[in-house]
Amino acid sequence: MSEKTFLAIKKVLDEKEVFYETLEHEPVITSEDAAKVRGVLLHVGVKAMIIKHDNGFIMITLPADKKINFDKVKEQINTKKIRLATLEEVKEIIDCERGGVPPFGFLFGIQTFADKGIANNKEIEFNAGLTTKSIRMKEQDYFKVAEKFAEVTFGEFTR
């Protein structure tokens, strides 16, 4: 588990003077489990997925109640073949376990693509490098922080 990633996220949010709350809870793997232990509706959660393509890896962030549309992703990055990164690849690239991947690809040098559906919430929640710690923050602050540190491409990546 990556306490280092959790601390890096907190440092970025503190430097940008963004208000957030840290939530500690039992270990979770799925978005459904996370929403249940946090006591929120599924769509409030943001899930981050690492995608392997011909030239490397990208991160797709989307509302937790949505499914990724691989055809839209392939079109956006102009490639014919993509797949979800394996658990081993995720661990190697970002040192996080399944269920702990935070939606800040810039922390790992990974280009981030954010689904516009995230903006439908006033607040969002996501696992922060660990399956036992989450962060709650305003949706607008998430985009502000993400854009500040990296090129984030916004689009529609769900079905």
Side-chain angles (χ1 to χ4, degrees), residues 50 57 83-98:
I50 306 297
F57 296 90
R83 64 171 170 78
L84 288 174
T86 65
L87 297 178
E88 293 79 20
E89 288 168 332
V90 171
K91 180 77 172 149
E92 182 180 319
I93 296 164
I94 63 172
D95 191 31
C96 290
E97 301 290 335
R98 179 176 172 227

Side-chain angles (χ1 to χ4, degrees), residues 22 61 105 129 146-147:
T22 300
T61 63
E147 285 180 309

Side-chain angles (χ1 to χ4, degrees), residues 104-119:
F104 292 114
F106 67 85
L107 289 173
F108 317 103
I110 300 173
Q111 185 177 7
T112 302
F113 293 81
D115 188 82
K116 292 177 182 177
I118 295 170

Side-chain angles (χ1 to χ4, degrees), residues 7-157:
L7 295 174
I9 293 168
K10 286 183 57 142
K11 180 180 178 191
V12 165
L13 298 178
D14 290 342
E15 285 175 356
K16 295 302 162 200
E17 299 179 346
V18 170
F19 176 78
Y20 64 94
E21 295 175 70
T22 300
L23 311 168
E24 295 198 30
H25 48 75
E26 65 187 59
V28 295
I29 301 284
T30 67
S31 297
E32 291 81 4
D33 292 342
K36 195 177 297 181
V37 300
R38 294 176 193 144
V40 298
L41 297 174
L42 185 58
H43 74 271
V44 173
V46 172
K47 58 184 170 185
M49 304 169 82
I50 306 297
I51 305 293
K52 171 78 171 114
H53 62 94
D54 295 335
N55 298 314
F57 296 90
I58 60 170
M59 177 180 282
I60 302 288
T61 63
L62 54 147
D65 64 337
K66 301 293 184 190
K67 301 227 184 269
I68 192 167
N69 182 322
F70 287 99
D71 289 333
K72 288 181 180 179
V73 175
K74 286 191 280 190
E75 184 179 313
Q76 178 69 41
I77 66 171
N78 195 25
T79 191
K80 293 185 190 275
K81 287 175 55 177
I82 62 171
R83 64 171 170 78
L84 288 174
T86 65
L87 297 178
E88 293 79 20
E89 288 168 332
V90 171
K91 180 77 172 149
E92 182 180 319
I93 296 164
I94 63 172
D95 191 31
C96 290
E97 301 290 335
R98 179 176 172 227
V101 179
F104 292 114
F106 67 85
L107 289 173
F108 317 103
I110 300 173
Q111 185 177 7
T112 302
F113 293 81
D115 188 82
K116 292 177 182 177
I118 295 170
N120 293 336
N121 297 313
K122 288 184 179 179
E123 290 188 326
I124 60 169
E125 296 182 2
F126 54 88
N127 282 13
L130 298 156
T131 60
T132 57
K133 291 186 182 179
S134 298
I135 288 181
R136 175 184 296 141
M137 64 188 296
K138 291 183 179 179
E139 159 274 324
Q140 64 190 19
D141 287 340
Y142 164 73
F143 285 119
K144 184 171 33 175
V145 169
E147 285 180 309
K148 184 75 175 169
F149 286 97
E151 178 185 328
V152 177
T153 302
F154 300 97
E156 293 181 23
F157 304 105

